[in-house]
Amino acid sequence: MVLDAAPMIYSMNATGNLSQPMQPEMSGHVILSVDYAASPAEAIVSAFTVQDDSEDGLDQKHGASFLVPNANAFGHAFRSYDGESERRSGVADFYRTNHTYQTYNFALNMRKKHLQFNKGVMSIWECCELLNEYVDESDPDLDEPQIEHLLQTAEAIRKDHPDEDWFHLTGLIHDLGKVLLHPKFGQEPQWAVVGDTYPLGCAFDENIVHSEYFKDNMDFYNPKFNSKNGIYEEGCGLDKVQMSWGHDEYLYQVLKCNNTTLPPQALFIIRYHSFYALHRAGAYQQFLDANDREMLQWLLEFNKYDLYSKSKVRINVEEVKPYYISLIEKYFPIELRW
């Protein structure tokens, strides 16, 4: 067994609380590394990988029944943007366009355009089915329709967290903001809907995927925006930071508008699950407030299912549909304004 180096190790139980330092072999917990300031409550948490060199070729997080595969649906490393991949060229082109046109003013204009919630009325499950027509061009790990990924994520979470039904539902719905790709909802180009998100109004961090393409973004040369903190104060909270526009923010706003009863952890996950520069590389930590640090624990737990559940394993939709319909009825009105 090989452990990646980490400054400190805390365990996180199913309630999402950090406990005292633990030994790597301790079972029943998900292992996270913590770069701490004064206490666990103030910690910046980042993913900590435990690799198991077992004969079945699978890695597994301690205390979790979800098996983390070594390779994505194409047989390559997950989130590999530089190595050889069947989708590498298309993904690079996607990020070249995304990083050129995702400016601070563009994001503001997209908020005005799409947050009127006047595009139509439909249920959560109808939205899931609508997404079945689309494949995410920014994703190097999967070329299946979106509903496959949604169910893979939800079922993986359900396996490890059987008592957290809100978490299962979050896995199912987290990408529904991609409905903006549909003609009935604006038919936005993929670069304006999918892909990693990142703060605007401050310097672009080198840990953002294909950060080299930001040289063609007009904000890159704006002295108001190109310092480390830009227009923001340290500790201001992510809620005060303008993120690049995409499906994360759209769905978050839709759910708030329609008075979902999902807990705050679910809304945080939905809003920032594509913010990989933060939860994979630790960038932009200076903007986090105390609430962000607490919610980040759940985002990190969600991330392994969102990322590592992508595979060619198909979920029987009709078999699991009744369960998810029951959760939708629990946490949402029958129809939502989009």
Side-chain angles (χ1 to χ4, degrees):
M1 183 164 289
V2 182
L3 303 182
D4 292 347
M8 180 67 74
I9 303 173
Y10 286 85
S11 64
M12 186 179 78
N13 59 27
T15 64
N17 297 317
L18 287 176
S19 68
Q20 293 303 311
M22 56 177 282
Q23 296 301 315
E25 62 268 24
M26 184 177 181
S27 63
H29 295 73
V30 174
I31 294 182
L32 306 171
S33 69
V34 180
D35 181 6
Y36 63 94
S39 69
E42 300 173 351
I44 302 295
V45 189
S46 60
F48 179 74
T49 303
V50 179
Q51 296 183 338
D52 187 355
D53 299 328
S54 56
E55 293 181 359
D56 60 8
L58 296 174
D59 297 344
Q60 185 176 14
K61 304 292 183 184
H62 273 270
S65 58
F66 170 64
L67 294 175
V68 178
N70 284 323
N72 63 18
F74 302 103
H76 300 286
F78 284 92
R79 287 183 61 83
S80 175
Y81 294 91
D82 299 318
E84 291 300 322
S85 168
E86 296 174 30
R87 289 168 61 82
R88 184 188 65 168
S89 178
V91 171
D93 289 342
F94 166 89
Y95 277 109
R96 181 181 291 107
T97 305
N98 174 280
H99 291 353
T100 298
Y101 296 110
Q102 282 275 3
T103 64
Y104 185 84
N105 286 334
F106 172 80
L108 293 181
N109 289 334
M110 293 296 276
R111 291 176 66 90
K112 293 177 183 177
K113 178 180 179 180
H114 291 297
L115 299 187
Q116 304 300 315
F117 310 113
N118 57 4
K119 294 179 175 58
V121 177
M122 66 177 172
S123 70
I124 289 290
W125 190 262
E126 286 174 325
C127 188
C128 291
E129 293 179 329
L130 205 58
L131 280 185
N132 208 29
E133 304 172 23
Y134 297 97
V135 172
D136 188 336
E137 293 177 358
S138 72
D139 193 338
D141 297 323
L142 193 66
D143 62 352
E144 299 290 345
Q146 284 299 295
I147 196 168
E148 294 291 333
H149 169 54
L150 299 179
L151 287 171
Q152 288 171 349
T153 304
E155 285 294 284
I157 294 172
R158 185 180 175 187
K159 187 175 183 180
D160 282 359
H161 298 270
D163 299 325
E164 303 288 348
D165 65 354
W166 67 266
F167 204 10
H168 314 163
L169 185 57
T170 302
L172 178 72
I173 70 172
H174 72 280
D175 275 344
L176 293 190
K178 293 178 182 179
V179 72
L180 290 175
L181 298 170
H182 197 279
K184 293 181 180 179
F185 291 82
Q187 200 169 11
E188 295 292 349
Q190 291 228 3
W191 63 264
V193 178
V194 302
D196 289 11
T197 57
Y198 41 86
L200 301 168
C202 58
F204 298 113
D205 192 273
E206 62 181 8
N207 287 295
I208 300 171
V209 171
H210 284 303
S211 61
E212 68 273 16
Y213 296 140
F214 284 119
K215 67 182 186 302
D216 295 323
N217 186 305
M218 64 176 62
D219 288 357
F220 185 85
Y221 303 97
N222 186 335
K224 183 180 178 182
F225 295 151
N226 61 18
S227 65
K228 180 179 180 180
N229 292 341
I231 62 175
Y232 309 110
E233 298 288 336
E234 290 196 6
C236 62
L238 291 181
D239 188 57
K240 301 293 194 301
V241 175
Q242 178 63 59
M243 300 294 292
S244 56
W245 175 258
H247 67 281
D248 302 47
E249 183 67 20
Y250 177 63
L251 181 61
Y252 167 78
Q253 296 292 347
V254 166
L255 299 189
K256 286 192 64 179
C257 169
N258 287 278
N259 299 314
T260 178
T261 56
L262 283 171
Q265 298 96 314
L267 296 178
F268 189 89
I269 288 168
I270 287 165
R271 194 176 196 183
Y272 299 111
H273 71 269
S274 299
F275 190 5
Y276 278 90
L278 170 67
H279 56 74
R280 297 288 288 180
Y284 299 107
Q285 296 177 10
Q286 73 270 23
F287 298 139
L288 303 183
D289 62 15
N291 181 68
D292 295 331
R293 295 173 191 276
E294 181 179 352
M295 293 295 104
L296 185 59
Q297 301 172 35
W298 280 105
L299 179 57
L300 289 167
E301 175 67 352
F302 171 82
N303 177 252
K304 76 168 185 276
Y305 303 105
D306 184 22
L307 177 58
Y308 296 114
S309 66
K310 297 172 184 176
S311 71
K312 293 296 185 180
V313 177
R314 306 296 290 268
I315 303 295
N316 186 325
V317 177
E318 293 307 313
E319 182 178 305
V320 301
K321 180 177 177 179
Y323 173 70
Y324 289 104
I325 291 295
S326 72
L327 298 188
I328 291 168
E329 293 173 348
K330 178 179 179 179
Y331 289 102
F332 291 105
I334 296 173
E335 293 183 319
L336 286 73
R337 293 168 48 215
W338 296 81

